[in-house]
Amino acid sequence: MKFNKTISVLIFLSTYFPSLQAQVNTESMRNANLTDTLMHVIDLDIGLEKSNEEVFDGSLKYRLDYSPNDNYSAFIVLNYENGYERLLNSSKNIITNKGFGHFRLTRKLNNTFFLEGFFQAGFNDFLLMKSRSLYGGGMRNNFFNKENAKIFLGLGVMQEIENYNLESNDKKNLLRSTNYLSSNIIINDKTNWKNTIYFQVASSDQQDYRLLYETGFEFNLSESINFTFEFNFRYDNQPHGDLGKTYYNIKNGISFSF
């Protein structure tokens, strides 16, 4: 009963935030070392992102992990970011505004294989994306599992619906594969290193593909406070408008868990 109530709350939250929408690397946000039944995490970050323009931004992220038993786990992530460029003889100019909400449910089949289903919605002014929603699922395999290192392979599909602030080619609705390889390495009792690489291809056009890579470190300052550093890189072989094919984001911040 408690599990059903919590899942209902998570689904409600994921649909209540339709304005928080955009494609992000959510695999790296998964809590690979969840031992508590319920865990909350709040991240405060500042960073630099660059495509054809360069901006500084700040973000606030909330994550809720829930694991009622060994067979089921779920998490929801809510994120909002605001960035700006400061020009000479000018006040602060807001040039990027983005956010997303993501919900994922995982079912354990055995010690190495898992089934997953997810829903996400977001927006990203920096990428001229008015709205983006997707839903899908797949399988996850923990093919390398040691005390200090875990590596996962994920294979899946998703339906992707995007609306852009462009006069032409302003909409996209297609089926896309979503495959990833992720690792979580415990360097020592205070340092954790995560890596994830995504490869996503449209089913209707093999030239429409994206490559996303994220790496990050967590440094334990105390039992509930971590210092974080992240680097994100995105390559889009068919970008919209006059956006460049490459995009990167560097950020660091503080993470609070309770």
Side-chain angles (χ1 to χ4, degrees):
M1 179 66 69
K2 185 181 295 184
F3 172 71
N4 292 335
K5 287 183 178 179
T6 303
I7 293 300
S8 299
V9 171
L10 292 175
I11 295 174
F12 168 76
L13 287 172
S14 66
T15 55
Y16 181 74
F17 287 89
S19 60
L20 300 177
Q21 307 171 343
Q23 173 59 27
V24 289
N25 176 2
T26 50
E27 171 61 23
S28 64
M29 297 178 185
R30 188 193 305 267
N31 191 336
N33 301 306
L34 182 65
T35 56
D36 296 333
T37 301
L38 185 66
M39 178 177 289
H40 307 268
V41 179
I42 296 175
D43 293 328
L44 301 174
D45 299 299
I46 56 173
L48 167 71
E49 60 184 316
K50 183 176 176 60
S51 180
N52 286 348
E53 296 178 329
E54 183 176 289
V55 300
F56 290 93
D57 61 25
S59 68
L60 172 64
K61 180 171 65 184
Y62 168 74
R63 187 181 78 224
L64 169 65
D65 290 90
Y66 183 69
S67 181
N69 53 52
D70 290 338
N71 294 323
Y72 288 95
S73 64
F75 72 88
I76 184 169
V77 177
L78 303 174
N79 177 279
Y80 176 75
E81 297 185 35
N82 186 263
Y84 66 90
E85 179 182 32
R86 192 179 296 277
L87 303 177
L88 294 176
N89 302 320
S90 176
S91 60
K92 183 175 73 174
N93 297 294
I94 303 297
I95 60 174
T96 179
N97 194 40
K98 60 184 179 179
F100 70 88
H102 183 95
F103 169 72
R104 184 169 299 233
L105 178 65
T106 301
R107 168 71 162 89
K108 181 179 178 180
L109 299 179
N110 53 44
N111 289 333
T112 58
F113 284 95
F114 307 81
L115 291 177
E116 297 188 311
F118 58 86
F119 168 79
Q120 181 174 307
F123 69 92
N124 190 328
D125 290 351
F126 190 74
L127 298 179
L128 303 179
M129 190 184 294
K130 289 195 297 186
S131 65
R132 183 175 194 272
S133 59
L134 60 89
Y135 55 89
M139 180 169 286
R140 172 180 171 88
N141 175 225
N142 183 194
F143 67 90
F144 185 86
N145 189 359
K146 300 296 182 181
E147 183 178 356
N148 294 327
K150 300 180 187 296
I151 303 178
F152 295 88
L153 173 66
L155 301 174
V157 295
M158 63 183 183
Q159 188 69 33
E160 183 180 70
I161 304 167
E162 298 177 337
N163 293 288
Y164 286 84
N165 284 312
L166 298 169
E167 294 183 1
S168 61
N169 195 24
D170 62 336
K171 287 187 177 182
K172 181 179 286 190
N173 188 342
L174 50 80
L175 186 68
R176 189 184 291 274
S177 68
T178 176
N179 312 303
Y180 64 82
L181 186 67
S182 71
S183 66
N184 184 64
I185 300 172
I186 300 174
I187 298 176
N188 54 48
D189 60 351
K190 292 188 176 297
T191 308
N192 195 42
W193 180 29
K194 293 183 179 180
N195 287 277
T196 307
I197 184 167
Y198 270 90
F199 185 65
Q200 301 173 338
V201 185
S203 60
S204 57
D205 183 2
Q206 293 186 351
Q207 296 303 309
D208 183 0
Y209 64 85
R210 289 195 298 253
L211 180 71
L212 302 100
Y213 172 69
E214 178 174 303
T215 184
F217 290 89
E218 290 184 353
F219 304 94
N220 295 348
L221 302 180
S222 71
E223 184 177 346
S224 59
I225 301 177
N226 294 331
F227 174 79
T228 61
F229 171 82
E230 294 181 11
F231 173 77
N232 302 276
F233 175 80
R234 165 183 167 137
Y235 177 84
D236 191 340
N237 194 51
Q238 292 186 0
H240 280 67
D242 58 355
L243 293 172
K245 289 188 175 183
T246 60
Y247 161 88
Y248 71 80
N249 178 272
I250 301 172
K251 62 175 63 176
N252 54 62
I254 297 292
S255 174
F256 305 91
S257 59
F258 54 96

